[in-house]
Amino acid sequence: FSETQVLKVGLVKAGGPHGLRDEQASCSTTDPWQPAAEADPWQQLTMLEEAKRASATAAASLPISSPLPKLTAADHKGIPLLAALDELLVAALHSGAIKLLRTEFLRADGSEAVLPELLRRQELERLEKERRIRIFLTPKEAVAALRSLSREVAGLTYGWASPDHPDVTGEYLANVRRFLRDPLGEHVTALFWDFSSLPQKPRTAAEDEFFYQALKVMGDVYASALGTIVIRHRSVPARPAELDGE
């Protein structure tokens, strides 16, 4: 990718057998996604720090092109504790307040003909129904992707090109597709893109409720310790001349 087109993984979180193996004890809870009720909170904090340090060490030792290690809840006692931090985000995915784009759709050959420009979430929902295609993950699929411990959910961070539409030139969408079709992005199955993942104006009362519910937790997409990666567009496309003065 050129300097103005590259999408870069801004935050890589890795772990697994390379750095998060605890040989002395395994997680005692029967539900891998919930910490033990009787756990000492100070011990929990210690385990979280150990897991974070081990994850960072493992990530630093991997070439950028290496596939991310596959974690399981048994790799370290801290894994269920870190995963539990995503519960508010899980609730927003369950309710539909936040929808994740299906990257299989975006990277497919011919997807440019179906979606030549970035659309509002409401327009994409109508397109799904009219064309009978799958653009978004279902809530169940979205939660499963977040909880897979494979960092297969990506959150896009970028600068909006205009107040009303973030991608008036189409450059962002084109480069997102390039990233998803590149080996670096091939593991990503779900994409959070604010304009398409949250209801946009004009909104109904029900969509307003979803929007404000999503605003409270959308930051967790970029901060999940085990569920997501962050992709960053390093440049803002040139503003079209017709938008001068806005």
Side-chain angles (χ1 to χ4, degrees):
F1 300 155
S2 71
E3 179 65 17
T4 59
Q5 292 178 314
V6 68
L7 271 164
K8 180 181 179 183
V9 173
L11 178 59
V12 177
K13 313 173 196 76
H18 301 289
L20 295 181
R21 175 68 63 185
D22 186 334
E23 301 292 353
Q24 308 234 331
S26 59
C27 185
S28 60
T29 178
T30 55
D31 183 350
W33 298 109
Q34 295 295 332
E38 70 277 6
D40 182 336
W42 293 107
Q43 183 183 23
Q44 289 184 6
L45 287 174
T46 300
M47 288 190 294
L48 287 172
E49 289 304 315
E50 288 176 353
K52 287 179 181 178
R53 285 195 297 270
S55 179
T57 300
S61 67
L62 291 171
I64 191 64
S65 59
S66 296
L68 296 174
K70 172 67 176 177
L71 289 174
T72 71
D75 279 327
H76 191 279
K77 292 181 293 183
I79 298 298
L81 299 175
L82 289 170
L85 298 177
D86 289 332
E87 288 311 301
L88 292 178
L89 179 56
V90 166
L93 294 173
H94 263 309
S95 71
I98 292 176
K99 287 192 173 183
L100 300 180
L101 290 166
R102 187 181 298 273
T103 59
E104 179 185 17
F105 164 73
L106 290 174
R107 67 165 61 93
D109 292 338
S111 70
E112 286 86 349
V114 179
L115 187 67
E117 61 181 355
L118 187 67
L119 298 178
R120 299 161 59 245
R121 168 169 152 173
Q122 294 97 315
E123 293 167 328
L124 290 176
E125 289 170 337
R126 285 194 290 271
L127 186 62
E128 272 194 319
K129 292 180 180 179
E130 292 171 0
R131 296 287 191 93
R132 296 184 179 182
I133 54 179
R134 298 191 300 169
I135 298 175
F136 295 103
L137 268 66
T138 66
K140 184 177 180 180
E141 289 172 330
V143 171
L146 181 69
R147 285 180 161 175
S148 70
L149 302 180
S150 298
R151 292 104 181 164
E152 59 189 74
V153 177
L156 175 65
T157 179
Y158 67 112
W160 278 44
S162 79
D164 300 318
H165 195 287
D167 190 21
V168 291
T169 66
E171 184 175 331
Y172 285 135
L173 181 57
N175 288 336
V176 165
R177 282 190 168 112
R178 290 182 66 186
F179 170 77
L180 294 175
R181 290 165 176 166
D182 186 84
L184 189 62
E186 64 185 5
H187 72 287
V188 176
T189 64
L191 176 66
F192 174 84
W193 192 331
D194 53 3
F195 190 66
S196 298
S197 292
L198 276 61
Q200 302 298 316
K201 291 182 178 180
R203 293 186 290 265
T204 65
E207 289 168 347
D208 255 340
E209 186 175 344
F210 269 166
F211 179 76
Y212 289 108
Q213 180 187 347
L215 280 187
K216 294 177 182 178
V217 300
M218 63 179 282
D220 291 359
V221 174
Y222 305 99
S224 172
L226 300 175
T228 68
I229 63 169
V230 174
I231 55 176
R232 176 171 65 93
H233 201 285
R234 293 167 56 184
S235 64
V236 177
R239 182 182 63 253
E242 60 266 25
L243 295 179
D244 285 350
E246 288 197 6

